[in-house]
Amino acid sequence: MNPLSAQDLAPQRIVCLTEETTEWLYLLGQEHRIVGISGYTVRPRRAREEKPRVSAFTSAKVDKILALQPDCVLGFSDMQADIASALIREGVQVTVFNQRGVTEIFSVLYQVAAMVGQGEQGLTLIADMRQQLADIAKAAAALPRRPKIFFEEWDVPHISAIRWVSELIGIAGGDDIFPELAAQSLGKNRIIADDAEIVRRNPDIIIGSWCGKKFRPENVARRPGWNDVTAVKTGQLFEIKSADILQPGPAALTDGVAQLHRIIMAWSQCHA
């Protein structure tokens, strides 16, 4: 009997229900294993052209997934529990990750790399990302003043930053004005019922990343009572695309944090 390799034992037909595992498998050179992706996938761009789209975020075409005969389905968070349950009842192997912080994201990246027999390559790529974060943190440590930042994940109702975003804000040189909410894993527990509290905490910078729709800074500036917010008065309202910051994977740890850092460094030049 011939010995089996890691490549032989790894999943051969993977469906990715969210973007971050798709992007990661492409970075690992393992895109040939992917047979289905999320319709929200934009990274890498060519994935949308090469792979069938079989899911949204909280819903999926179960029949279409089953027709692809996956031997592994990768998902993220409690929001995909119903999809996972439906597939499990059909006998499909499903792995749903629940990473919320930066360290947890790195852990999941390694686990996925190991699943496809690319543990060593995964560690190399992770080391590069960790070094980028360390370089950004070092530059941020030299800032004479750290801006207060309100990161808005959704507008109605207002939802503040998830934990990995809050942590990346800190690495990039800012302070999340709702750190106590960032500790809450569920979006419903990060809702800010009274936007007067946002005004009271008076952020220097407002960053919007409304998942699935364009951030409208002019609408934010017109909110009743917000004209006295420092970020509004100084025009410090910015968008970071949700694909770059709200996916718990390579995008947030590279492009997302880099955008945060550029915004903060530009602010610092005017507000030292």
Side-chain angles (χ1 to χ4, degrees):
M1 182 179 294
N2 294 327
L4 292 173
S5 68
Q7 297 300 310
D8 295 325
L9 294 171
Q12 304 298 317
R13 299 182 62 80
I14 300 174
V15 169
C16 299
L17 298 178
T18 50
E19 181 181 65
E20 68 277 355
T21 45
T22 296
E23 181 179 16
W24 183 231
L25 289 170
Y26 268 83
L27 288 171
L28 291 168
Q30 299 298 302
E31 65 271 20
H32 60 279
R33 299 180 187 274
I34 302 173
V35 295
I37 63 173
S38 163
Y40 288 116
T41 300
V42 296
R43 297 173 62 108
R45 185 177 299 274
R46 66 187 180 97
R48 293 180 66 84
E49 302 169 358
E50 297 173 349
K51 307 295 181 181
R53 285 164 262 171
V54 297
S55 69
F57 184 53
T58 58
S59 63
K61 300 172 182 175
V62 173
D63 290 346
K64 193 169 183 179
I65 293 174
L66 294 175
L68 293 170
Q69 298 182 308
D71 55 8
C72 178
V73 173
L74 301 177
F76 165 66
S77 87
D78 54 288
M79 298 289 285
Q80 294 194 322
D82 289 343
I83 304 172
S85 177
L87 292 170
I88 290 169
R89 284 195 294 268
E90 295 291 341
V92 178
Q93 177 174 306
V94 180
T95 299
V96 176
F97 298 105
N98 230 346
Q99 67 271 38
R100 287 299 193 274
V102 171
T103 298
E104 292 171 1
I105 293 174
F106 281 125
S107 175
V108 168
L109 292 180
Y110 175 72
Q111 290 176 59
V112 173
M115 286 174 70
V116 296
Q118 298 295 316
E120 289 303 316
Q121 184 184 359
L123 286 175
T124 298
L125 294 174
I126 287 169
D128 290 342
M129 286 186 279
R130 285 172 57 85
Q131 184 59 55
Q132 178 181 340
L133 292 182
D135 292 342
I136 288 174
K138 182 177 180 180
L143 293 176
R145 180 181 162 203
R146 296 173 66 88
K148 296 182 295 179
I149 296 178
F150 173 51
F151 185 97
E152 188 170 84
E153 188 176 310
W154 194 246
D155 58 336
V156 183
H158 306 299
I159 299 179
S160 65
I162 199 166
R163 179 152 56 96
W164 73 77
V165 174
S166 181
E167 291 175 356
L168 291 175
I169 287 171
I171 291 169
D175 292 321
D176 176 14
I177 66 169
F178 286 102
E180 74 280 12
L181 296 185
Q184 301 295 321
S185 64
L186 303 181
K188 66 181 181 180
N189 294 330
R190 288 183 281 111
I191 291 175
I192 304 163
D194 183 2
D195 66 356
E197 182 60 20
I198 304 170
V199 174
R200 189 189 70 77
R201 298 194 187 194
N202 194 25
D204 299 301
I205 298 171
I206 296 173
I207 298 172
S209 188
W210 297 344
C211 189
K213 68 178 182 178
K214 183 175 176 57
F215 176 67
R216 299 289 184 182
E218 66 276 12
N219 292 348
V220 173
R222 286 198 295 264
R223 291 172 180 169
W226 285 49
N227 54 301
D228 289 329
V229 173
T230 298
V232 173
K233 290 193 293 185
T234 57
Q236 293 292 301
L237 295 93
F238 305 94
E239 178 181 31
I240 297 179
K241 299 291 187 183
S242 57
D244 292 340
I245 194 70
L246 292 181
Q247 301 282 1
L253 302 176
T254 55
D255 292 348
V257 69
Q259 291 176 62
L260 286 170
H261 189 52
R262 285 195 295 270
I263 290 169
I264 291 168
M265 294 300 284
W267 176 90
S268 181
Q269 290 176 2
C270 300
H271 301 84

